[in-house]
Amino acid sequence: MQQSYRRIIGAGLGLAAISYDSPAVLKNFAQRKNIEFPLLSDTDSKIIRSFDILNAQPQKGSATYGIPYPGIYVLNADGVVTAKYFEDDYKERDTAALVLMKQFGLRAEPTATVTAKHAQISTGISDREASMGRHLTLRLDVKLQDHVHVYAPGVQGYIPVDWSIDASDAIKPGPAKYPDSRILRLEAIKESVPVYQGEFWLERDVVIGIDRAVTPLLDSHGDLTITGVFRYQACDDERCYLPESIPVRWTVHYHPLDRTRVPEDMQRK
């Protein structure tokens, strides 16, 4: 959240986090991580219980009893919850930047642009940094040449656009989200087909795996590269061309799990 704090404030939004940790623990964490937004202490988990997000797995009396399921609530100016982002697996979490994209329409961070024969393909990503279990959103912005179309998913008898991601234990992609297509009438062959023309974009989420899966893939700077391929067949008013496969990539800086604990006298007993 700290990584996205300036974007959040710039969008006219506010940010606060709440946990079952004591004020002393939160102060220690904020100083160590240079946190600028408020960290609220709910030591008896009263607020956590009122939102029905108490993790029931820890035994009562244990150090982790009272911990919530992690997630993000979006509130309006009147304090009313308008959206929430939670995952079934507590080890996975949406990032604040992902919420900014999905909930408020902020653009992805641009990463690279590739010029192909009939299209310009730009890549973007919700976050420049990542850690274990984080959800990131990848984006492709495609700009086709004038009078060129490509076929949308669901077309029959033609090659549709396709976006694949190289999956592994370190990178787990979700399904690609394609925009609505338009129907193009091909008078020469008396057919109507779903196509994309001009500019369009695609998005898909990926989940970053655990440290031991990610670490072997990092470069000397601690960066993780996500790779994939965008495939399409371009046609113009007169002919269709050979299918193209365009390599695409996104690079994020990876932060291993922070295992630093607060001083023993602050730890929950």
Side-chain angles (χ1 to χ4, degrees):
M1 289 187 176
Q2 180 60 43
Q3 295 164 10
S4 299
Y5 183 60
R6 293 302 170 186
R7 295 182 70 193
I8 293 170
I9 297 301
L13 305 171
L15 174 65
I18 186 169
S19 78
Y20 78 146
D21 296 299
S22 68
V25 169
L26 294 178
K27 182 178 181 180
N28 178 276
F29 177 77
Q31 291 175 339
R32 183 159 52 85
K33 292 293 187 178
N34 298 314
I35 303 299
E36 299 178 83
F37 57 89
L39 301 179
L40 308 179
S41 175
D42 183 25
T43 52
D44 58 1
S45 298
K46 180 179 179 181
I47 302 300
I48 291 168
R49 294 175 194 276
S50 70
F51 277 80
D52 197 26
I53 56 172
L54 180 74
N55 188 331
Q57 293 183 9
Q59 293 291 324
K60 190 171 184 178
S62 68
T64 55
Y65 181 74
I67 194 171
Y69 289 105
I72 296 175
Y73 286 103
V74 179
L75 285 68
N76 65 17
D78 296 320
V80 177
V81 174
T82 58
K84 59 181 180 179
Y85 292 80
F86 282 78
E87 294 297 323
D88 293 335
D89 187 343
Y90 72 90
K91 296 186 294 294
E92 296 183 7
R93 308 184 186 191
D94 292 326
T95 68
L98 181 148
V99 174
L100 287 174
M101 284 182 61
K102 293 188 174 182
Q103 191 70 29
F104 299 100
L106 268 68
R107 295 294 300 270
E109 296 276 359
T111 54
T113 298
V114 178
T115 300
K117 288 184 179 179
H118 303 95
Q120 185 179 78
I121 302 155
S122 300
T123 57
I125 192 167
S126 58
D127 299 75
R128 293 282 192 173
E129 303 184 41
S131 55
M132 184 178 77
R134 292 300 189 265
H135 290 197
L136 310 178
T137 295
L138 309 180
R139 180 171 169 124
L140 289 179
D141 285 274
V142 182
K143 182 178 182 180
L144 299 173
Q145 293 179 353
D146 293 341
H147 307 293
V148 167
H149 66 267
V150 295
Y151 295 102
V155 70
Q156 300 296 317
Y158 297 91
I159 299 174
V161 296
D162 179 70
W163 176 17
S164 63
I165 295 293
D166 297 323
S168 68
D169 289 340
I171 300 164
K172 305 170 186 178
K177 299 174 184 177
Y178 295 89
D180 294 335
S181 59
R182 58 160 295 186
I183 300 300
L184 178 66
R185 179 66 177 173
L186 304 175
E187 289 295 343
I189 54 178
K190 306 301 181 184
E191 288 185 359
S192 297
V193 291
V195 301
Y196 299 125
Q197 295 174 299
E199 299 182 29
F200 64 97
W201 55 265
L202 306 84
E203 285 185 354
R204 74 189 307 160
D205 293 349
V206 296
V207 182
I208 304 301
I210 60 177
D211 279 352
R212 66 171 177 265
V214 175
T215 300
L217 303 181
L218 301 179
D219 65 15
S220 59
H221 302 290
D223 292 340
L224 173 68
T225 297
I226 303 168
T227 57
V229 175
F230 179 63
R231 300 181 180 89
Y232 68 91
Q233 182 174 26
C235 301
D236 60 21
D237 298 335
E238 298 180 353
R239 65 180 70 85
C240 285
Y241 301 90
L242 291 175
E244 297 281 336
S245 294
I246 309 301
V248 287
R249 62 178 55 207
W250 300 259
T251 299
V252 294
H253 187 70
Y254 185 74
H255 295 275
L257 183 64
D258 184 359
R259 301 182 185 277
T260 304
R261 300 199 65 186
V262 296
E264 187 174 357
D265 61 338
M266 295 184 187
Q267 295 174 17
R268 294 174 70 97
K269 307 299 182 183

